[in-house]
């Protein structure tokens, strides 16, 4: 069975979820003489299988090994990709495929958005995190010394293939990391996700389980609806939340990632970020204590961290000051008023922020 989820943004496309989806690739290649497959070294086997599908469909393939994880999301790696594309004669009608986790699809999207001011893009995520977050929605980016994803572009893919077979062999820690973004979708939009995870945390962590597939699909559906309504974060005005909704927990999470030099998995950092903003929501007088404490319980149940170093706050605050959601030097957080009801909290009292961090610190 293949699940089709429509993303009705500026250039509508489908996210397909199921097994054996590489055979669904050829229709997305229409018009492309050359196709570049960007992938990490660990996915050489999958990249070769993908290359065979592409060549059988009549297109030329260029494979580009871009390294692993967040360390690959740099202007130097992007420039290497541009050089390969130039030497291979890539034109505006050719396209790029990002095969890998969120870091790889972020990089591939940025390269596609910038080569010749934009060429076709297809994303083939191979992690839970990539499927439910990075590969869907058209956000692309690279990191700088000053922070994560500060350089980027909005560039929608032609399609997204979430082939569940590509999750085989994914380390348990990567599955758990991806569940942070899944649980986030439960708190911001679809509480059924929380119910499924809470009822059987072990099944939610198990590759191939019906529970994991259901919460992946529900999370993709949440992301699809959000970006369909607000692709470019244009509707977050005052306390109203548009696409920034999916950044719940990310302001502090990104700061933790930078402090850890991106050695932490994204979901691990975002998990702590969600505990922080839930407590901030409560202390600011918006969220009830039960829903705030539910964050720790459900995130902890799947094995995610829920606290961070007590002495890190000043450094984290300095990083948050350059977060993409900051406006004119004013910190802005996505917080909850209730389950599945969010708002923007702009310019919270500095003492409130410090006290909140102290409350969730280890």
């Amino acid at each position: 069975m293949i699940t089709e989820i429509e993303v009705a943004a500026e250039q509508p496309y489908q996210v397909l979820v199921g097994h054996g989806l590489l055979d669904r690739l050829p229709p997305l290649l229409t018009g492309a003489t050359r196709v570049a497959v960007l992938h990490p070294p660990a996915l050489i086997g999958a990249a070769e299988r993908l290359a065979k599908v592409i060549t059988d469909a009549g297109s030329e393939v260029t494979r580009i090994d871009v390294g692993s994880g967040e360390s690959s999301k740099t202007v130097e790696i992007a420039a290497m990709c541009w050089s390969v594309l130039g030497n291979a004669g890539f034109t505006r009608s050719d396209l790029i495929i990002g095969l890998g986790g969120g870091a790889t699809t972020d990089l591939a999207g940025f390269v596609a958005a910038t080569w010749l001011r934009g060429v076709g893009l297809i994303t083939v995520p191979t992690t839970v995190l990539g499927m439910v977050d990075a590969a869907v929605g058209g956000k692309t980016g690279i990191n700088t010394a000053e922070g994560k994803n500060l350089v980027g572009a909005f560039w929608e893919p032609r399609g997204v293939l979430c082939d569940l077979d590509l999750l085989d062999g994914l380390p348990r820690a990567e599955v758990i990391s991806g569940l942070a973004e899944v649980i986030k979708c439960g708190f911001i939009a679809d509480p059924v996700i929380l119910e499924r995870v809470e009822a059987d945390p072990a099944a939610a962590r198990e590759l191939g389980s019906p529970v994991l597939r259901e919460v992946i699909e529900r999370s993709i559906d949440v992301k699809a609806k959000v970006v369909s309504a607000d692709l470019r974060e244009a509707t977050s005005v005052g306390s109203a939340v548009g696409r920034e909704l999916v950044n719940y927990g990310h302001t502090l999470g990104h700061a933790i990632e930078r402090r850890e030099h991106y050695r932490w998995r994204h979901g691990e950092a975002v998990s702590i970020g969600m505990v922080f903003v839930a407590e901030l929501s409560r202390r600011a007088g918006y969220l009830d204590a039960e829903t705030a404490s539910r964050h720790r319980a459900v995130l902890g149940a799947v094995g995610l961290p829920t606290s961070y170093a007590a002495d890190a706050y000043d450094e984290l605050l300095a990083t948050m000051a350059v977060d993409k959601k900051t406006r004119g030097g004013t910190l802005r957080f996505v917080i909850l008023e209730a389950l599945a009801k969010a708002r923007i909290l702009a310019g919270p009292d500095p003492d409130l922020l410090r006290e909140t961090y102290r409350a969730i610190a280890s």
Side-chain angles (χ1 to χ4, degrees), residues 190 192-193 196 209-219:
D190 184 0
V192 173
I193 292 173
R196 298 288 188 268
S209 76
V211 173
L212 180 59
R213 175 167 180 165
E214 180 185 355
V215 296
I216 286 174
E217 290 178 352
R218 284 183 171 275
S219 300

Side-chain angles (χ1 to χ4, degrees), residues 93-259:
S93 61
D94 298 324
L95 63 83
I96 290 169
I97 297 177
L99 171 71
T104 302
T105 57
D106 278 355
L107 172 68
F110 180 71
V111 171
T114 51
W115 180 251
L116 301 177
R117 298 189 180 93
V119 297
L121 170 69
I122 299 168
T123 53
V124 185
T126 61
T127 65
V128 174
L129 178 63
M131 290 181 180
V132 303
D133 185 44
V136 179
K139 267 191 178 180
T140 75
I142 57 174
N143 304 329
T144 69
E146 291 71 32
K148 182 174 178 178
N149 293 335
L150 295 181
V151 176
F154 292 99
W155 193 250
E156 297 172 84
R158 290 186 181 183
V160 181
L161 302 181
C162 296
D163 190 333
L164 299 173
D165 292 338
L166 294 174
L167 296 179
D168 289 347
L170 189 69
R172 175 59 61 86
E174 288 292 343
V175 178
I176 292 172
S177 173
L179 287 175
E181 293 285 358
V182 169
I183 290 167
K184 175 201 75 179
C185 290
F187 279 113
I188 64 174
D190 184 0
V192 173
I193 292 173
L194 301 179
E195 295 169 9
R196 298 288 188 268
V197 174
E198 289 166 335
D200 197 342
R205 294 192 301 264
E206 182 182 347
L207 290 175
S209 76
V211 173
L212 180 59
R213 175 167 180 165
E214 180 185 355
V215 296
I216 286 174
E217 290 178 352
R218 284 183 171 275
S219 300
I220 293 171
D221 190 58
V222 168
K223 183 75 177 287
K225 286 183 170 63
V226 170
V227 301
S228 294
D230 181 21
L231 174 66
R232 301 174 184 274
E233 292 184 353
T235 61
S236 296
V237 179
S239 63
V241 186
R243 180 170 176 159
E244 285 185 329
L245 177 68
V246 295
N247 288 324
Y248 184 68
H250 284 57
T251 301
L252 181 67
H254 283 167
I256 290 173
E257 286 185 278
R258 183 187 173 199
R259 186 174 188 268

